[in-house]
Amino acid sequence: MAKELKFVLLLDCYGELLTERQRNVTELYYCEDLSLSEISEPLGITRQSVRDLIKRSEQLLLHYEEKLGFAERLGKMRDCFRNIEAAASGIQDRDIRDSIITEINKGSALL
């Protein structure tokens, strides 16, 4: 998994556990794809401070994932839903197939 995508997923799972500043800066970097300079200027801090903040946030996110494992389980659950949906597409009975797909969509929305 690409490093950027990994941290976006970890932010989705654990972002609320970071301080507001850590979360905001890390989201700007990973989700908005802003450079260190683009983040530092409006905040009135140095590029190095932004980098340090992002690195600290990355360490925390990795620590949370190591201890809790939610992001890994979330990925596995999404894979399961995709597999069920693929299997359901082969069901001839339209009502049963549609019912299964409806439940898959409900489950996916909860993730």
Side-chain angles (χ1 to χ4, degrees):
M1 176 183 317
K3 182 178 181 179
E4 291 79 20
L5 179 58
K6 179 178 183 172
F7 283 110
V8 170
L9 293 173
L10 292 176
L11 275 167
D12 282 345
C13 288
Y14 307 113
E16 293 298 319
L17 299 175
L18 300 174
T19 66
E20 184 176 345
R21 187 172 182 93
Q22 288 171 328
R23 184 177 61 253
N24 288 339
V25 168
T26 306
E27 284 177 349
L28 289 171
Y29 184 74
Y30 282 109
C31 302
E32 302 298 325
D33 199 28
L34 296 180
S35 69
L36 298 178
S37 295
E38 291 171 320
I39 298 168
S40 67
E41 287 177 22
L43 296 177
I45 60 177
T46 65
R47 291 174 64 243
Q48 184 63 44
S49 295
V50 171
R51 183 184 180 286
D52 292 345
L53 190 58
I54 291 168
K55 290 300 176 189
R56 175 70 178 135
S57 298
E58 288 174 350
Q59 290 173 345
L60 287 168
L61 293 169
L62 290 170
H63 174 76
Y64 295 143
E65 177 60 12
E66 179 185 316
K67 296 295 182 189
L68 302 171
F70 290 143
E72 182 181 352
R73 285 187 277 178
L74 184 63
K76 288 179 181 179
M77 288 172 33
R78 286 183 175 139
D79 289 343
C80 286
F81 280 130
R82 280 192 289 273
N83 293 340
I84 294 168
E85 187 171 18
S89 68
I91 295 174
Q92 298 300 317
D93 186 311
R94 182 178 173 166
D95 291 335
I96 293 173
R97 182 181 62 241
D98 290 348
S99 177
I100 291 170
I101 295 201
T102 297
E103 295 304 314
I104 290 169
N105 290 335
K106 286 180 189 175
S108 294
L110 295 173
L111 302 177

